[in-house]
Amino acid sequence: MFEKSTWIRLPRNVVIGHGVIEQTADAVADLHISGRPLVVTSPTAGEVAGDAVVDQLATLGPEPETIVVDEASFDAVSRVLDAAERVEPGYLVGVGGGKAIDIAKMAADERDCGFVSVPTAASHDGIVSGRGSVPDGDARHSVAAEPPMAVVADTAIIADAPWRLTTAGCADIISNYTAVRDWQLAHRLKNVEYSEYAGALSQMTAQMLVDRAEYVKEGLEESAWIVTKALVSSGVAMSIAGSSRPASGAEHLFSHRLDQLVPNAALHGHQVGVGSIMTEYLHTGDGGQWRNVRDSLATIGAPTTAADLGVDGETVIEALTTAHEIRDRYTIFGDGMNEAAAREVASVTGVLPD
């Protein structure tokens, strides 16, 4: 008899569309949570959306408290926790891009209180996932965090964000292709638990971006809607799986290794996008769909080569041959690639010139 129990924590309210920032109070009120909200935001996001969120939440009861963070770090998480100790909030609200939302959700997890996500850019699927990613020295840590009870994504605000952030979000989603392939491989070879539903949802989300790549264009609010919906679906897949497996495989190990070798060289989504071109080739060979991955990224305007990332060829080779050391997660990299194999895959896929 199958007796295992699984807890799946999903957002109760997801509000996406033009001008929905004005529905923040309604989305929160429907959750039936109480207490003073602690709003975590960044300088730019505070101006773009933070003030509007504070005004909205002020109509519900106690005056919101706001803390501004400049970077994603464990020190920033500690600052938020110190503020929470003083404020004793009923719930936390993350307003901004990746750093404000990750910090808020990690602090909410530590405080064991509710979390509401208000993204101002569609740069990655962390806007709805139960994971937080924070750099620490030359490494980046992905840790369990509080998933949002509600997501309020105003496409007018997201469409106005720098376009490179949106293309990074697209690339992050498209890389789900190879993340799921790695998950399936680990299931077959290492008996890693696999969720058919989470895997299918993640792959469907990636396919949606590939199929609609030509419609994702700068300046179109519909593009922001397409990408945000996909990011939400990807985050839900991770919540169903109870891990980041549906959206993080060898392509993410490659990106994390680049972060160590050349910090801040490129956006996370762009790095995993380029990584997914090569790992898709490793999974399926020349007859596979690595060209579809590459062409979709190019159509959207995301990087497809090392030069596009601003990374030299030798760094790419080092990242490929050492990425398996990043974490104990079985992927197509196995126990490591040798240099000849790394040069071949980078050359065949056009990530490095012949």
Coordinates of all heavy atoms in Angstrom, one line a residue, residues 50-99:
G50 N 6.7 49.9 -4.7 CA 6.7 49.7 -3.3 C 5.7 50.7 -2.6 O 5.0 50.3 -1.7
D51 N 5.8 52.0 -3.0 CA 4.9 52.9 -2.4 C 3.4 52.6 -2.6 O 2.6 52.8 -1.7 CB 5.2 54.3 -2.9 CG 6.6 54.8 -2.5 OD1 7.1 54.3 -1.6 OD2 7.1 55.8 -3.2
A52 N 3.1 52.1 -3.8 CA 1.7 51.8 -4.1 C 1.3 50.6 -3.3 O 0.1 50.6 -2.8 CB 1.6 51.5 -5.6
V53 N 2.1 49.6 -3.1 CA 1.8 48.5 -2.3 C 1.6 48.9 -0.8 O 0.6 48.5 -0.2 CB 2.9 47.4 -2.3 CG1 2.7 46.3 -1.3 CG2 2.9 46.8 -3.7
V54 N 2.4 49.8 -0.3 CA 2.3 50.3 1.1 C 0.9 51.0 1.2 O 0.2 50.8 2.2 CB 3.4 51.2 1.5 CG1 3.1 51.9 2.8 CG2 4.7 50.4 1.6
D55 N 0.6 51.8 0.3 CA -0.7 52.5 0.3 C -1.9 51.6 0.3 O -2.8 51.8 1.0 CB -0.8 53.5 -0.9 CG 0.1 54.7 -0.8 OD1 0.7 54.9 0.3 OD2 0.4 55.3 -1.8
Q56 N -1.7 50.5 -0.5 CA -2.8 49.5 -0.5 C -2.9 48.8 0.8 O -4.1 48.6 1.3 CB -2.5 48.5 -1.6 CG -2.8 49.0 -3.0 CD -4.3 48.8 -3.3 OE1 -4.8 47.7 -3.2 NE2 -5.0 49.8 -3.7
L57 N -1.8 48.3 1.3 CA -1.9 47.5 2.6 C -2.3 48.4 3.8 O -2.9 47.9 4.7 CB -0.5 46.9 2.8 CG -0.1 45.9 1.8 CD1 1.3 45.4 2.1 CD2 -1.0 44.7 1.6
A58 N -2.0 49.7 3.7 CA -2.4 50.6 4.8 C -3.9 50.6 5.0 O -4.4 50.9 6.1 CB -1.9 52.0 4.6
T59 N -4.7 50.3 4.0 CA -6.1 50.3 4.1 C -6.7 49.1 4.8 O -7.9 49.1 5.2 CB -6.8 50.3 2.7 OG1 -6.5 49.1 2.0 CG2 -6.2 51.5 1.8
L60 N -5.8 48.1 5.1 CA -6.3 46.9 5.7 C -6.2 46.9 7.2 O -6.7 46.1 7.9 CB -5.5 45.7 5.2 CG -5.6 45.4 3.7 CD1 -4.8 44.2 3.3 CD2 -7.1 45.2 3.3
G61 N -5.4 47.9 7.8 CA -5.2 47.9 9.2 C -3.9 48.6 9.6 O -3.7 49.7 9.2
P62 N -3.1 47.9 10.4 CA -1.8 48.5 10.9 C -1.0 49.1 9.8 O -0.9 48.5 8.7 CB -1.1 47.4 11.7 CG -2.2 46.4 12.0 CD -3.2 46.5 10.9
E63 N -0.3 50.2 10.0 CA 0.5 50.9 9.0 C 1.7 49.9 8.7 O 2.4 49.4 9.6 CB 1.1 52.2 9.6 CG 1.8 53.0 8.6 CD 0.9 53.6 7.6 OE1 -0.3 53.8 7.8 OE2 1.4 54.0 6.5
P64 N 1.9 49.7 7.4 CA 3.0 48.8 7.0 C 4.4 49.4 7.4 O 4.6 50.6 7.4 CB 2.9 48.7 5.5 CG 1.4 49.1 5.2 CD 1.1 50.1 6.3
E65 N 5.3 48.5 7.7 CA 6.7 48.9 7.9 C 7.5 48.5 6.6 O 7.2 47.4 6.0 CB 7.2 48.2 9.1 CG 8.6 48.6 9.5 CD 8.7 49.9 10.3 OE1 7.6 50.3 10.8 OE2 9.8 50.4 10.5
T66 N 8.4 49.3 6.2 CA 9.2 49.1 5.0 C 10.7 49.0 5.3 O 11.2 49.8 6.1 CB 8.9 50.2 3.9 OG1 7.6 50.2 3.6 CG2 9.7 49.9 2.7
I67 N 11.3 48.0 4.7 CA 12.8 47.9 4.8 C 13.3 47.8 3.4 O 12.8 47.0 2.6 CB 13.3 46.8 5.7 CG1 14.8 46.8 5.8 CG2 12.7 45.4 5.2 CD1 15.3 45.8 6.8
V68 N 14.4 48.6 3.0 CA 14.9 48.6 1.7 C 16.3 47.8 1.7 O 17.1 48.1 2.6 CB 15.2 50.0 1.2 CG1 15.9 50.0 -0.2 CG2 13.9 50.8 1.2
V69 N 16.4 46.9 0.8 CA 17.7 46.1 0.7 C 18.3 46.4 -0.6 O 17.7 46.6 -1.6 CB 17.4 44.6 0.8 CG1 16.8 44.2 2.2 CG2 16.4 44.1 -0.2
D70 N 19.7 46.5 -0.6 CA 20.4 46.8 -1.7 C 21.0 45.6 -2.5 O 21.3 45.7 -3.7 CB 21.6 47.7 -1.4 CG 21.1 49.1 -0.9 OD1 20.2 49.7 -1.5 OD2 21.6 49.5 0.2
E71 N 21.1 44.5 -1.8 CA 21.7 43.3 -2.5 C 21.1 42.1 -1.8 O 20.6 42.1 -0.7 CB 23.2 43.3 -2.3 CG 23.7 43.3 -0.9 CD 25.2 43.3 -0.7 OE1 25.9 43.5 -1.7 OE2 25.6 43.0 0.4
A72 N 21.2 41.0 -2.6 CA 20.8 39.7 -2.0 C 22.0 39.1 -1.3 O 23.0 38.8 -1.9 CB 20.4 38.7 -3.2
S73 N 21.8 38.9 0.0 CA 22.9 38.4 0.8 C 22.3 37.9 2.1 O 21.2 38.2 2.5 CB 24.0 39.4 1.1 OG 23.4 40.4 1.9
F74 N 23.1 37.0 2.8 CA 22.6 36.6 4.1 C 22.6 37.7 5.1 O 21.8 37.7 6.1 CB 23.5 35.4 4.6 CG 23.2 34.1 3.9 CD1 24.1 33.6 3.0 CD2 22.0 33.4 4.1 CE1 23.8 32.4 2.3 CE2 21.7 32.2 3.4 CZ 22.6 31.7 2.5
D75 N 23.5 38.7 4.9 CA 23.4 39.9 5.8 C 22.1 40.6 5.6 O 21.5 41.1 6.6 CB 24.6 40.8 5.5 CG 25.9 40.3 6.0 OD1 25.9 39.4 6.9 OD2 27.0 40.8 5.5
A76 N 21.6 40.7 4.4 CA 20.3 41.4 4.1 C 19.2 40.6 4.8 O 18.3 41.2 5.4 CB 20.1 41.5 2.6
V77 N 19.3 39.3 4.7 CA 18.2 38.4 5.4 C 18.3 38.7 6.9 O 17.2 38.9 7.5 CB 18.5 36.9 5.1 CG1 17.4 36.1 5.9 CG2 18.3 36.6 3.6
S78 N 19.5 38.8 7.5 CA 19.6 39.1 8.9 C 19.0 40.5 9.3 O 18.4 40.7 10.3 CB 21.1 39.1 9.3 OG 21.6 37.8 9.2
R79 N 19.2 41.5 8.4 CA 18.7 42.8 8.6 C 17.1 42.8 8.6 O 16.5 43.4 9.4 CB 19.1 43.8 7.5 CG 20.5 44.3 7.6 CD 20.8 45.3 6.6 NE 19.8 46.4 6.6 CZ 19.3 46.9 5.5 NH1 19.6 46.5 4.3 NH2 18.4 47.9 5.6
V80 N 16.6 42.0 7.7 CA 15.1 41.9 7.6 C 14.6 41.2 8.9 O 13.6 41.6 9.5 CB 14.7 41.1 6.4 CG1 13.2 40.9 6.4 CG2 15.0 42.0 5.1
L81 N 15.3 40.1 9.3 CA 14.9 39.4 10.5 C 15.0 40.3 11.8 O 14.2 40.2 12.7 CB 15.7 38.2 10.7 CG 15.4 37.0 9.7 CD1 16.5 35.9 9.9 CD2 14.0 36.5 10.0
D82 N 16.0 41.2 11.8 CA 16.1 42.1 12.9 C 14.9 43.1 12.9 O 14.4 43.4 14.0 CB 17.4 42.9 12.8 CG 18.7 42.1 13.1 OD1 18.5 41.0 13.7 OD2 19.8 42.5 12.8
A83 N 14.6 43.6 11.7 CA 13.4 44.5 11.6 C 12.1 43.7 12.0 O 11.3 44.3 12.7 CB 13.3 45.0 10.2
A84 N 12.0 42.5 11.6 CA 10.9 41.7 12.0 C 10.8 41.5 13.5 O 9.7 41.4 14.1 CB 10.9 40.4 11.3
E85 N 11.9 41.3 14.1 CA 11.9 41.1 15.6 C 11.4 42.4 16.3 O 10.7 42.3 17.3 CB 13.4 40.9 16.1 CG 13.5 40.5 17.5 CD 13.0 39.1 17.8 OE1 12.9 38.3 16.9 OE2 12.6 38.9 19.0
R86 N 11.7 43.5 15.7 CA 11.2 44.8 16.3 C 9.7 45.0 15.9 O 8.9 45.4 16.8 CB 12.0 45.9 15.7 CG 11.6 47.3 16.1 CD 12.5 48.4 15.6 NE 12.8 48.2 14.2 CZ 12.0 48.8 13.2 NH1 10.9 49.4 13.5 NH2 12.4 48.6 12.0
V87 N 9.3 44.7 14.7 CA 8.0 45.0 14.2 C 7.0 44.0 14.6 O 5.8 44.3 14.8 CB 8.0 45.2 12.6 CG1 6.6 45.4 12.1 CG2 8.9 46.4 12.3
E88 N 7.4 42.7 14.7 CA 6.6 41.6 14.9 C 5.4 41.5 13.8 O 4.3 41.6 14.2 CB 6.0 41.6 16.3 CG 7.1 41.4 17.4 CD 6.5 41.2 18.7 OE1 5.3 41.4 18.9 OE2 7.2 40.9 19.7
P89 N 5.8 41.4 12.6 CA 4.8 41.5 11.5 C 3.9 40.2 11.5 O 4.3 39.1 11.9 CB 5.7 41.5 10.2 CG 6.9 40.8 10.6 CD 7.2 41.1 12.0
G90 N 2.7 40.4 10.9 CA 1.8 39.3 10.7 C 2.2 38.6 9.4 O 1.9 37.4 9.3
Y91 N 2.8 39.3 8.5 CA 3.2 38.7 7.2 C 4.3 39.6 6.6 O 4.4 40.8 6.9 CB 2.1 38.4 6.3 CG 1.2 39.6 5.9 CD1 1.4 40.3 4.8 CD2 0.2 40.1 6.8 CE1 0.7 41.5 4.4 CE2 -0.5 41.2 6.5 CZ -0.3 41.9 5.3 OH -1.0 43.0 5.0
L92 N 5.0 39.0 5.6 CA 6.0 39.8 4.9 C 5.6 39.9 3.4 O 4.9 39.0 2.9 CB 7.4 39.1 4.9 CG 8.3 39.5 6.2 CD1 7.7 38.8 7.4 CD2 9.7 39.1 5.9
V93 N 6.0 41.0 2.8 CA 5.7 41.2 1.4 C 7.0 41.6 0.7 O 7.7 42.5 1.1 CB 4.7 42.4 1.2 CG1 4.3 42.6 -0.2 CG2 3.4 42.2 2.1
G94 N 7.3 40.8 -0.4 CA 8.5 41.1 -1.2 C 8.1 41.9 -2.4 O 7.2 41.4 -3.2
V95 N 8.6 43.1 -2.6 CA 8.3 43.9 -3.8 C 9.6 44.2 -4.6 O 10.5 44.9 -4.1 CB 7.6 45.2 -3.4 CG1 7.2 46.1 -4.6 CG2 6.4 45.0 -2.5
G96 N 9.6 43.6 -5.8 CA 10.8 43.9 -6.6 C 11.2 42.8 -7.5 O 10.3 42.0 -7.9
G97 N 12.5 42.7 -7.8 CA 13.0 41.6 -8.6 C 13.4 40.4 -7.7 O 12.8 40.2 -6.7
G98 N 14.5 39.7 -8.1 CA 14.9 38.5 -7.4 C 15.3 38.8 -6.0 O 14.9 38.0 -5.1
K99 N 16.1 39.8 -5.8 CA 16.7 39.9 -4.4 C 15.7 40.2 -3.4 O 15.7 39.6 -2.3 CB 17.8 41.0 -4.5 CG 17.4 42.4 -4.9 CD 18.6 43.3 -5.0 CE 18.2 44.7 -5.5 NZ 19.4 45.5 -5.8

